Amino acid sequence: MTDPTVARPRRTGRVARLLSGALVLGLTGGVVAIAVAAPPTEARPVPAATVDVAPTATTLVCPGPLQLPDDTLSGDSAFDRVPVAPVERVTGFDTVASATASLTVLGADPVALTGGTGSVASPGAATVLRAEPVDGEPARVAGATSSVVTDGDLRGLSAASCARPSADVWLVGGSTELESTADLVVVNPGATPADVTVEVWGPSGPVDLANGGTFLVAPGAERVLSLPGVAAEQRRIAVRVTAAGGQVSAYLQDALLDGFTPRGTDLVTAGTGPATTQVVPGISVVATEVDAADAGALRLLVPGEVDATASVRLLGPDGDVELPGAQELDLPAGEVTDVSLGGLAAGSYTAVVESTEAVVAGAMIAREGKAGELDEGPRLERAWAASATPGSGLVAVPAGATANVTVTAVPTGDEGAAPAPTASTSPSPEPTEGQVPDLDADAAPPGRTVTVTLRGYGESGVLGERKVEVPVGSTVPFRVQELGARVVGVEVVAPEDPSVVLAWSLYAAVADPSGSLISVLSPVTDAAAVTHAEVRRGSRVGLD
């Protein structure tokens, strides 16, 4: 059987805050036996000491070029499945225009971010955005990859933010049904090999992968796994990628056809890990019927072993909206469930999911276009929105796209201290809880607003700044172009208000005669710098 993974050779030429964490190192009490065993020693509490930890370089991984279909499988050498070449570019920006930020395509030389911005056209592989600390603080950079295809199987705007590598990545979206493609791309930006394990869930539960789901990714390389080859005929999927020996970035290239009619291509990117509360911003919908092709869907999975009951609320332009049939959802453990977004009024929404067991979540939005010359029906464009940790952060604007920042002030119901999210930083076989604060969509007082600051960045630094009043419990879209001409990146500053958290994303669109091409990009939310850690002295026999 042909190995469905393809090694890609090296080619030449931070729901709110990412959490500040304290690293606690404990050495258990031990006994050394030489000739006579010492009696057991009762462990004694050892006070923690705080030590300084220097900040490290900021590293983000930007998705590579689209995986093109194999024309040899079409049965017609004259039929071109991608008749127009993808227009692809990686962009990046640095808020302080330091001299250390660069974009490096795997296997190529770095390209400096001159004056705080930079780009790479037609990258041949994934790109690493890296910047050294500035004045003892982690660098604040962001980037995005965009691929525009106006015709053929891969028609669409496939755009995604450059993301922090991780040892545990969750991707909620895609399908391996006939006429669907789902290419999982795993990138290792580190200097050591990464031993990768892939898990897939479908509508009926966990899927046994034909290749066992494990493979090695070399340092500075990427590997592609065609999921239809190892997990075929799964209408709805969610994927987990874990890595040992190093951290990786992973994304899923999702494309759909209806005969010869393109039905959308996009990248499914990493969302937050399993938690009993999930927030999915960036759900921009048009008015449709529940069963319409462009209705969109909210996708949910309980990856543990216990069934859950969940409720879904949507915070939109006019406040809290109940999603029909989603006030009390039964979610069988291990089964991927889609909930239609049809029947909503047109506008931008953020979904808040509350569950009795930890879940993962994502959403798909769609736009119907016109039929092409060879199409049997209207074309469709689709985009996936990932769950996110609320808070201040950065996002890059895809090259050539118009964009809106959609901002939601989600009430926490806490007028005192804001609940601090906690998250596991290592892969665990069991879902972890508490990655976002406890939220209370019913807690929004009528008429109250919070002030959100937006800044636009370009080649000359900050191009413009706006203060936007956002009603608590509502979602407000803001046109990026109002921040200035040729904005390459946006900074969003959340209000210092413990009664709300700020959920947001970037909606990007490219105009096309047959219908708009769209994508939703997640921000890189701020992380408090890990500049100190708590350590405990060991307690051993004969040692103090």
Side-chain angles (χ1 to χ4, degrees), residues 6 27 76 108 133 261 340 467:
V6 179
L27 296 177
D76 184 353
T261 305
S340 174
K467 303 287 186 181

Side-chain angles (χ1 to χ4, degrees), residues 33 103 118:
L103 290 165

Side-chain angles (χ1 to χ4, degrees), residues 37 81 83 91 102 155 157 170 194 198 202 240 246 288 308 389 421 434 436 500 513:
R81 300 176 64 185
T91 60
S102 65
R155 176 187 178 272
L157 170 61
W170 288 87
V198 177
R240 184 188 191 188
T288 63
T389 302
V436 297
V500 298

